[in-house]
Every structure is written in C-alpha cells, then in structure tokens.
Amino acid sequence: MAKVVTLTVVVVSCCLVAVTSALYGSNSDVIDLTSSNFNTKVIDSEDVWIVEFFAPWCGHCQSFAPEYSKAATALKGVVKVGAVDADQQKSLGGEYGVKGFPTVKIFGTNKKSPQDYSGARTAQGLVDAAFRELRKNVEAKLGGKKFGGSSGGGKRNADPKDVIELTDSNFAETVMESEDMWLVEFYAPWCGHCKNLAPHWAEAASELKGKVKLGAVDATVHTILANKYGIQGFPTIKYFPAGSKDDAEEYDGGRTASDIINWALEKFAENAPPPELKELTGGSILKDVCENSQLCIISVLPQLLDCQSDCRNNYISILKKLGEKYKRNQWGWLWTEALSQEELEDSLGMGGFGYPIKGAKLPKINDVEPWDGKDGELPPEEDIDLSDVVLDDEPSGREEL
C-alpha cells in the first residue's frame, strides 16, 4: 500500500514542496547509485551488489538506514553495498518493479534477475545474505561462467520485430502523424557500432512496448530521411516527442539497453498527462488511486456551507495545478469533503504530512454521493403550528427589578 499524505487546504501548497535530505551522506560506505551510473557500477561489474531502493520520507527507510550503513562498512572490499533514492530515480525503480520502501535487491550471479532480499532488516541479516550470494558467485566462476549484464548483448527474449522498420515512404505516416513517442536509430549495415547496438536496441524496444516506440532507418538506402535530419555518422539516434513532432531532438544517453530504457522512461514521465484528481466517494476509488502509487495525496476540503462552489472549485484548480507540477512523481490525488470520511481522517491524524495508517490497513471508507458542482443549501426550516399554544398573559407574581 502506498504511503498516504494527508493535506488540509490550508497547508496543501507548503507541504507538497517539503524536501527531505537523503539518508546516506558523502562519508557513508553506502554507494550512491543513479540511472546514469547504475549500469556501469552494478550490471557490468563482476562484484556482488546489495542495493536498497528507498525514499527519504519513508519512516521504515530511516529506521533501516543505521543497520544498512553498518552492513556496508562490514562488507567493504568484499561485497558492494549501494542505495538508490527511488524518489529521484523513478525510472530505475520502475525498471526493477519497486512498489514499496525499503526494497532491497541482491545482484549476484545473474545480474539480469536480481533477488529480492526478504531477510531480517539487520546488519547481520544482510551480511549473511551477502556471503551466501558471494559463495554462489565464486562457485560459478570456478565453473567458467562470466559475469556482467548489459555488455553481453541484450536479453534472450528480446524480439527484434519490436523494432519498427522505417523508410522514406512510411516515415511521415508512421512517426510524424502518430501521437506516440519515438526513438529512431539511423544506421548503416556495415557499421560496427550499429551491429553492437542492435541487440540492445531490440531489448529496449521490447521493454518499452506500449510506452515508447523504437524504429530504425537504413540511412544508406533511405537517403531522403538521412539528409532531412542531417545524419553524418552512425548510429545516430533521434527523439520524436509525443504529439507535435516539428523538431526532432538528439538522443544523448548511453548505448546499452538499460541506458536507453532509463532515458526513454524519463522522457515518458516528463510528457505524461497529469494524474486525474478524483473525489473520494468509496473504498474502490481509494484502492485504485493509492495502491500502486508511491505517495497518495488526500486533500480535505471545507464543507459546502463553509465554502461554496466557487470556493471549492478554486481549491480543486489549485490541486490540479499541483498535480501537473509534480506529475513526474506519479502520485495519486484525491479530495474529500470534511467529515464525510471521519474514520479516514481519524486514522490518518489529519492535518500533518506523511502520517502512517493506524493498524497498517486502510480504514472503512463511506460510500457518499459525488459532488454535483452546485452550492450547498441549508435544510428547509420546519413550519411549526402555534395555533394550539395558549399564552399566559397573567402576571407572574414576581416583581421585576
């Protein structure tokens, strides 16, 4: 379940921009890993690596950090210990299926299929797991097995057919008139670098299927395209964004499958539409929006009688703008009217930032009617029949002062 952030409208803007420092400083034995260095340091190396994917705001990560640092110091020179701030390196977390924090993976004998660490969150537990994997690594080396992931030439299950063949005649219709994001390689059949890139290009095309399309142009045959885009060396990769494609951009990432995938996912996140802001009207909506999000923003808006439709729409507009601003984070966004979900408000300790859910499970969510967009109205006053009431006009017998 996602970490849930609760916001009242009074603090919504300031809370969202709060920044928390990273868990491991420059003097730590935990190695900082990012999308730009992960492939070189971890995948291409012959070392066993333990890698934590964390978020700075995560309470469990903060509690785990001293033990993880202790393990890194104990394993120094034997097994590499690194950490990825998955809040910043979202594409890297996505590539390895990270859905919660902290997630620890061991990259050992098969760098393409890291193991999930599910042992105790202690330094001793990590050290024991590291030595078990190290022994496998050594025994595999005795058997003559080579290590290193991405430089070996792509995944076995990568399908070259996922790379779309582009020509002078189909380029405009296939790429320029589509709404998809494209990476296009211009190559020459005799080019050695192009041959080395081919398996990685196919692997990336398979991994990115449904998000980013990858194509290839034989620039020695389709010279109109090559001249149009100023191709002077091979391979040259051009990026065509989703929607309008008036200007192609130069691809400036690395040449391994992981590099290409990470670069493309970053661009995909930048150009993704903002998440939908939904009203919390039932339990299914909370589950749909929050279950697969790293963070879930729940804003409690004033009741209609305190803040009528213009006022409420103003708050909703602010929330949508914030959703657009922080869309790369892929957070979930919800709003609810004050007191319509009292159990939720109580369980989350409304009014703060990043409260954990009491009992580690979601509270009961009431089914409520969605807002119809209109102002709130007071209930009609009840007419009281006073015809049978007899008023006593006699003196009370009490002297007024």
Side-chain angles (χ1 to χ4, degrees):
M1 176 57 62
K3 177 183 175 64
V4 177
V5 175
T6 63
L7 300 171
T8 65
V9 294
V10 177
V11 296
V12 63
S13 59
C14 62
C15 287
L16 280 174
V17 296
V19 177
T20 307
S21 60
L23 299 185
Y24 306 104
S26 58
N27 294 327
S28 173
D29 290 318
V30 177
I31 300 168
D32 183 39
L33 297 171
T34 66
S35 297
S36 60
N37 69 11
F38 194 88
N39 192 66
T40 303
K41 286 184 176 292
V42 179
I43 302 300
D44 286 343
S45 77
E46 295 191 1
D47 297 306
V48 172
W49 277 82
I50 296 178
V51 178
E52 176 198 9
F53 294 82
F54 72 93
W57 45 258
C58 165
H60 292 301
C61 302
Q62 294 165 12
S63 300
F64 182 48
E67 290 294 309
Y68 197 69
S69 296
K70 184 178 179 181
T73 300
L75 291 168
K76 192 172 184 179
V78 181
V79 169
K80 299 289 182 67
V81 178
V84 176
D85 182 346
D87 220 21
Q88 297 294 325
Q89 309 295 325
K90 293 178 177 60
S91 62
L92 198 53
E95 182 177 352
Y96 290 101
V98 175
K99 296 186 180 297
F101 305 116
T103 291
V104 178
K105 292 183 178 285
I106 300 176
F107 292 77
T109 54
N110 185 354
K111 293 293 180 68
K112 288 290 185 182
S113 299
Q115 304 174 38
D116 287 318
Y117 172 76
S118 57
R121 290 181 181 175
T122 63
Q124 187 62 56
L126 290 162
V127 169
D128 291 344
F131 275 101
R132 285 194 296 270
E133 189 61 32
L134 187 62
R135 182 177 181 83
K136 292 180 187 177
N137 187 291
V138 172
E139 290 176 347
K141 285 181 179 179
L142 283 173
K145 185 175 180 179
K146 294 183 180 181
F147 294 87
S150 61
S151 59
K155 286 185 177 179
R156 292 180 181 178
N157 62 351
D159 189 351
K161 294 180 181 178
D162 289 330
V163 178
I164 300 170
E165 183 180 358
L166 299 170
T167 66
D168 285 334
S169 59
N170 73 6
F171 192 85
E173 179 182 359
T174 307
V175 178
M176 303 302 289
E177 295 175 11
S178 79
E179 293 297 319
D180 299 306
M181 182 186 301
W182 280 82
L183 283 175
V184 178
E185 175 202 5
F186 292 82
Y187 71 94
W190 45 258
C191 164
H193 292 301
C194 304
K195 293 176 183 178
N196 292 334
L197 177 63
H200 297 284
W201 197 245
E203 179 180 334
S206 297
E207 287 292 313
L208 292 167
K209 203 170 183 179
K211 293 185 175 70
V212 181
K213 291 187 175 181
L214 270 66
V217 176
D218 183 344
T220 64
V221 174
H222 305 287
T223 55
I224 295 176
L225 283 174
N227 290 331
K228 179 178 180 179
Y229 292 106
I231 306 303
Q232 298 180 345
F234 306 113
T236 292
I237 300 171
K238 298 281 187 179
Y239 162 65
F240 296 84
S244 176
K245 296 177 173 61
D246 294 337
D247 296 318
E249 300 178 22
E250 291 289 335
Y251 169 82
D252 56 2
R255 297 298 174 90
T256 66
S258 293
D259 292 333
I260 297 163
I261 292 166
N262 289 335
W263 193 96
L265 288 177
E266 286 289 340
K267 287 290 186 182
F268 182 80
E270 287 178 9
N271 291 276
E276 183 181 358
L277 172 65
K278 293 187 176 182
E279 182 181 0
L280 181 53
T281 57
S284 61
I285 291 180
L286 181 65
K287 182 178 180 180
D288 290 344
V289 173
C290 294
E291 191 168 50
N292 294 317
S293 301
Q294 290 182 353
L295 280 177
C296 200
I297 312 297
I298 301 177
S299 296
V300 179
L301 305 187
Q303 292 184 313
L304 271 176
L305 293 179
D306 296 322
C307 173
Q308 293 284 12
S309 58
D310 287 346
C311 171
R312 175 171 291 185
N313 283 322
N314 183 51
Y315 283 126
I316 290 175
S317 177
I318 291 171
L319 291 172
K320 288 181 177 179
K321 288 177 181 177
L322 289 169
E324 171 69 33
K325 181 175 181 180
Y326 295 97
K327 66 181 181 179
R328 291 184 62 184
N329 297 325
Q330 299 179 349
W331 294 339
W333 294 79
L334 291 168
W335 71 270
T336 182
E337 183 178 64
L339 301 182
S340 67
Q341 302 291 349
E342 292 187 74
E343 291 186 45
L344 176 67
E345 293 181 37
D346 177 66
S347 70
L348 297 175
M350 297 304 290
F353 181 76
Y355 282 89
I357 298 172
K358 296 177 183 178
K361 65 178 182 179
L362 289 174
K364 177 184 176 183
I365 300 298
N366 299 323
D367 291 326
V368 298
E369 289 296 323
W371 179 44
D372 59 8
K374 299 178 181 179
D375 286 337
E377 295 181 0
L378 290 169
E381 294 184 4
E382 183 178 353
D383 292 330
I384 301 175
D385 185 2
L386 299 177
S387 60
D388 294 332
V389 177
V390 177
L391 298 177
D392 187 2
D393 294 331
E394 295 296 324
S396 65
R398 182 176 59 189
E399 184 177 352
E400 298 291 340
L401 296 178

